[in-house]
Amino acid sequence: MFDPDDLATIREGREEWEAETYGPTVDRFGEREDPFETDTGGQEVDALYTPADVADLDYEEDLGFPGEEPYTRGVYSTMYRGRLWTMRQYAGMGTATETNERFNYLMDEGQTGLSMAFDLPTQMGYDSDAGMAAGEVGKAGVAIDSLRDMETVFDGIPLDEVSTSMTINAPASVLLAMYIAIGDQQGVPREELRGTIQNDVLKEYIARNTYIYPPEPSMRIITDIFEYCAAEVPNFNTISISGYHIREAGSTAAQEIAFTLADGIEYVEAAQEAGLDVDEFAPQLSFFFASYNNILEEVAKFRAARRMWQSIMTERFDAEKPASRQLKFHTQTAGSTLTAQQIENNVVRVAYQALAAVLGGTQSLHTNGKDEALSLPTEQSVRTALRTQQILAHESGAADTIDPLGGSYYVESLTDEVEAEAREILEAIDSRGGMRQAIESGWVQREIQDVAYERQEAIESGERIIVGVNEYTVEEDAQDADIEEVPEEQERNQIERLESVKAERDDEAVEAALAALHDAAEGDENLMPSLVDAVKTYATTGEICDVLRDVFGEYQPGAAM
């Protein structure tokens, strides 16, 4: 990018600056840290970056233009100049009625997409009246026992006008079937349904543990969804391959993208083994990343991830469609960085994290409420979180030009460094036989745990400052916090609603639909048509998942994958 003579002059000038200006000042006064490192400690940060640090950068090969390969500078040609990112606030209150009210509130306040959180029993494929659900109904999100609950959630919300993201994994096929059924009820053509299901079970074995079935049948369900949606629901993203939970478990930025892309490779390979053409399903793949406090490291991470996925889809899978090679992603600000102490500080953390996501080119964004370290967010904190995005979009200027940090000597150098480290991790995964084998052996989990342990040690020793926690602390009255509480009677009321659905439905139709699903699971036909038929009879989430448990079994930690 620069003339060799110019680079030589720059290098000489830097050496002179270090010897005559910078060095003597450091010798006299020192610096705050030695060395400076990125937030996750993966890369050492130099005092100054110059064109010499990006001397090997080839603009067309390594950067290109927005909307053109290798997509480092963005997957769309106009990015936010044409259309802002989708503001998708995560919401799922204890009951379907409360969730519907929150969705309508957020849309009235200017939210442009819905994002649905489910309670733990729903995530694990249990109904609210199951023994395993006791004490957890509606606590971490909305309880969805049957299509009746989904009807309530989306009452008055036209599915042809909104995009809905559902954070659900092991039972993702069931919740997707319910969403399709709601669209059918509303008369919305299936090709007009838009949204995303997380549907990323490999990440569950690594970081969250809300799995149900063993990996092999889980991968079958996922590839059935790929095939079905490519034909029936072509504008719905069939998976959100999630680095978010990997990062929240303690990984570095480079590990986050390496492990996430390695999961993506596994899904593509599984789909191909099932006989699917890569260009038929790959355009519906999407990704989900975290955004942390170190703004420039996060920007570099997002840019490196786009470039890597383009290379992976081109070189490993011979994808021909540009859409198959584009990494499109949702971002959520980092929940694990939120503190129970001085919760007002979380507003600032979330704003910086949101800025990093936008500067990095995200397609949609959720900003956390300041009180999420304590409880589900209150209506007021949700509004502040949404306003954070709106101020960023309309007042900051960050959305007015494409990839505004592109060309920064530091950002370009850091992008290369993050990518290089992530590629080393991918090579290590390949040497272990791929991501499933690396997870099965516990290697991936140990790599994350080691980083998380080191980070916690640094916090406890005071080496890493967390404002308001181990430095700049104040005495606080915990009772001053306005906390969203889940009423104790909520669980009882949800169970009564479930009993009402079971009393009103056609039991013979339910039994026939569940039997057909059982036969489909024992055979090799696509499961999705049987699932859509089953939910339309008001078969419950737990009943459907129990049928699949009966055929596929349940995954036990430590069992072969």
Side-chain angles (χ1 to χ4, degrees), residues 412-434:
E412 297 298 356
S413 177
L414 188 55
T415 300
D416 288 346
E417 290 179 18
V418 172
E419 179 177 356
E421 184 178 347
R423 286 191 178 278
E424 287 182 7
I425 297 169
L426 279 179
E427 290 174 5
I429 292 168
D430 286 340
S431 73
R432 286 167 170 77

Side-chain angles (χ1 to χ4, degrees), residues 470-486:
N470 62 359
E471 191 65 83
Y472 312 113
T473 59
V474 297
E475 292 294 327
E476 293 183 290
D477 184 352
Q479 294 182 352
D480 289 343
D482 181 14
I483 297 175
E484 187 81 26
E485 296 182 353
V486 179

Side-chain angles (χ1 to χ4, degrees), residues 350-528:
V350 168
Y352 287 146
Q353 293 163 9
L355 175 62
V358 169
L359 293 176
T362 192
Q363 273 61 69
S364 67
L365 177 62
H366 162 83
T367 36
N368 289 328
K370 66 179 182 181
D371 47 2
E372 289 188 43
L374 300 172
S375 68
L376 289 172
T378 64
E379 192 171 275
Q380 181 180 21
S381 66
V382 164
R383 184 176 65 236
T384 300
L386 178 58
R387 293 289 184 261
T388 300
Q389 294 201 49
Q390 291 164 337
I391 291 169
L392 183 57
H394 300 292
E395 298 184 28
S396 73
D400 294 349
T401 191
I402 304 167
D403 188 28
L405 295 182
S408 158
Y409 307 135
Y410 176 42
V411 169
E412 297 298 356
S413 177
L414 188 55
T415 300
D416 288 346
E417 290 179 18
V418 172
E419 179 177 356
E421 184 178 347
R423 286 191 178 278
E424 287 182 7
I425 297 169
L426 279 179
E427 290 174 5
I429 292 168
D430 286 340
S431 73
R432 286 167 170 77
M435 193 59 169
R436 282 177 62 179
Q437 285 72 21
I439 296 170
E440 179 184 356
S441 69
W443 179 80
V444 173
Q445 296 91 318
R446 288 192 298 273
E447 291 290 296
I448 296 171
Q449 290 162 4
D450 288 348
V451 173
Y453 179 77
E454 292 172 2
R455 183 183 182 92
Q456 187 59 36
E457 274 195 324
I459 292 172
E460 292 180 4
S461 69
E463 179 184 347
R464 179 185 293 272
I465 292 176
I466 307 297
V467 174
V469 176
N470 62 359
E471 191 65 83
Y472 312 113
T473 59
V474 297
E475 292 294 327
E476 293 183 290
D477 184 352
Q479 294 182 352
D480 289 343
D482 181 14
I483 297 175
E484 187 81 26
E485 296 182 353
V486 179
E488 291 184 7
E489 65 270 16
Q490 177 175 276
E491 183 169 328
R492 183 173 62 254
N493 294 340
Q494 179 65 21
I495 292 173
E496 290 175 357
R497 284 191 290 271
L498 174 58
E499 291 173 347
S500 176
V501 169
K502 289 181 176 180
E504 295 171 2
R505 68 188 184 180
D506 182 338
D507 289 340
E508 289 186 4
V510 172
E511 290 174 10
L514 293 177
L517 175 62
H518 191 279
D519 291 344
E522 285 192 323
D524 58 5
E525 63 184 276
N526 193 298
L527 294 174
M528 284 303 300

Side-chain angles (χ1 to χ4, degrees), residues 228-355:
Y228 179 84
C229 288
E232 293 283 329
V233 199
N235 289 311
F236 209 92
N237 294 317
T238 52
I239 193 168
S240 178
I241 306 166
S242 176
Y244 180 86
H245 303 95
I246 291 170
R247 186 68 175 278
E248 290 282 88
S251 78
T252 67
Q255 285 176 329
E256 179 187 358
I257 59 173
F259 294 149
T260 304
L261 299 188
D263 283 345
I265 290 167
E266 285 286 338
Y267 293 127
V268 175
E269 289 177 344
Q272 288 186 318
E273 289 170 7
L276 306 184
D277 179 82
V278 66
D279 285 310
E280 290 300 313
F281 67 85
Q284 291 176 278
L285 305 180
S286 65
F287 291 81
F288 174 23
F289 293 115
S291 189
Y292 274 60
N293 291 331
N294 191 308
I295 294 173
L296 300 180
E297 181 181 29
E298 296 304 295
V299 171
K301 177 190 77 177
F302 297 134
R303 299 170 88 249
R306 276 195 296 270
R307 189 159 68 198
M308 289 178 68
W309 189 244
Q310 183 273 334
S311 172
I312 288 167
M313 293 304 290
T314 302
E315 297 170 9
R316 291 200 187 208
F317 299 112
D318 297 320
E320 295 183 0
K321 290 182 180 178
S324 299
R325 303 192 290 258
Q326 294 172 339
L327 184 146
K328 300 170 185 174
F329 66 98
H330 170 71
T331 307
Q332 181 171 335
T333 57
S336 66
T337 67
L338 303 182
T339 64
Q341 302 91 330
Q342 300 180 39
I343 63 171
E344 295 296 335
N345 295 343
N346 294 331
V347 176
V348 181
R349 292 187 176 101
V350 168
Y352 287 146
Q353 293 163 9
L355 175 62

Side-chain angles (χ1 to χ4, degrees), residues 11-309:
R11 290 191 179 101
E12 291 172 3
R14 174 170 175 160
E15 290 175 1
E16 183 177 330
W17 170 77
E18 287 180 338
E20 298 181 5
T21 304
Y22 175 71
T25 303
V26 172
D27 291 341
R28 184 178 179 186
F29 299 108
E31 292 187 313
R32 291 183 294 109
E33 296 180 27
D34 183 22
F36 283 82
E37 293 182 328
T38 54
D39 182 59
T40 50
Q43 293 80 27
E44 186 170 335
V45 180
D46 290 341
L48 182 72
Y49 288 80
T50 73
D53 293 287
V54 292
D56 296 331
L57 196 69
D58 183 299
Y59 186 88
E60 289 189 4
E61 182 177 335
D62 298 323
L63 297 180
F65 293 92
E68 296 181 1
E69 296 185 352
Y71 304 116
T72 310
R73 307 203 68 183
V75 292
Y76 297 121
S77 60
T78 59
M79 289 301 290
Y80 308 136
R81 290 170 65 92
R83 181 177 177 271
L84 291 169
W85 63 91
T86 300
M87 299 179 192
R88 194 187 300 280
Q89 290 302 111
Y90 194 40
M93 311 307 289
T95 67
T97 298
E98 290 173 308
T99 299
N100 177 265
E101 291 171 355
R102 178 60 62 89
F103 280 173
N104 278 288
Y105 170 78
L106 286 167
M107 289 190 294
D108 289 343
E109 294 295 330
Q111 176 170 290
T112 55
L114 302 178
S115 185
M116 196 168 176
F118 300 89
D119 71 355
L120 191 58
T122 304
Q123 292 182 51
M124 298 295 292
Y126 293 112
D127 290 334
S128 296
D129 60 356
M132 290 290 288
E136 292 294 338
V137 175
K139 291 291 179 66
V142 62
I144 299 294
D145 291 320
S146 74
L147 184 61
R148 183 68 48 79
D149 290 321
M150 287 289 272
E151 290 168 347
T152 301
V153 167
F154 292 101
D155 182 35
I157 299 175
L159 298 195
D160 56 347
E161 296 180 12
V162 298
S163 169
T164 304
S165 174
M166 293 184 282
T167 304
I168 194 73
N169 293 282
S173 57
V174 182
L175 276 299
L176 174 61
M178 290 183 184
Y179 195 81
I180 291 169
I182 296 295
D184 288 348
Q185 287 182 358
Q186 292 186 3
V188 178
R190 291 182 177 181
E191 61 269 19
E192 292 185 18
L193 294 176
R194 294 177 296 113
T196 304
I197 45 173
Q198 192 160 101
N199 196 28
D200 178 7
V201 76
L202 288 178
K203 163 264 301 170
E204 296 299 316
Y205 303 122
I206 298 170
R208 289 191 72 241
N209 300 325
T210 59
Y211 42 70
I212 301 176
Y213 320 110
E216 186 173 347
S218 293
M219 295 296 272
R220 175 201 167 171
I221 295 170
I222 289 169
T223 56
D224 278 359
I225 291 171
F226 289 175
E227 180 182 47
Y228 179 84
C229 288
E232 293 283 329
V233 199
N235 289 311
F236 209 92
N237 294 317
T238 52
I239 193 168
S240 178
I241 306 166
S242 176
Y244 180 86
H245 303 95
I246 291 170
R247 186 68 175 278
E248 290 282 88
S251 78
T252 67
Q255 285 176 329
E256 179 187 358
I257 59 173
F259 294 149
T260 304
L261 299 188
D263 283 345
I265 290 167
E266 285 286 338
Y267 293 127
V268 175
E269 289 177 344
Q272 288 186 318
E273 289 170 7
L276 306 184
D277 179 82
V278 66
D279 285 310
E280 290 300 313
F281 67 85
Q284 291 176 278
L285 305 180
S286 65
F287 291 81
F288 174 23
F289 293 115
S291 189
Y292 274 60
N293 291 331
N294 191 308
I295 294 173
L296 300 180
E297 181 181 29
E298 296 304 295
V299 171
K301 177 190 77 177
F302 297 134
R303 299 170 88 249
R306 276 195 296 270
R307 189 159 68 198
M308 289 178 68
W309 189 244

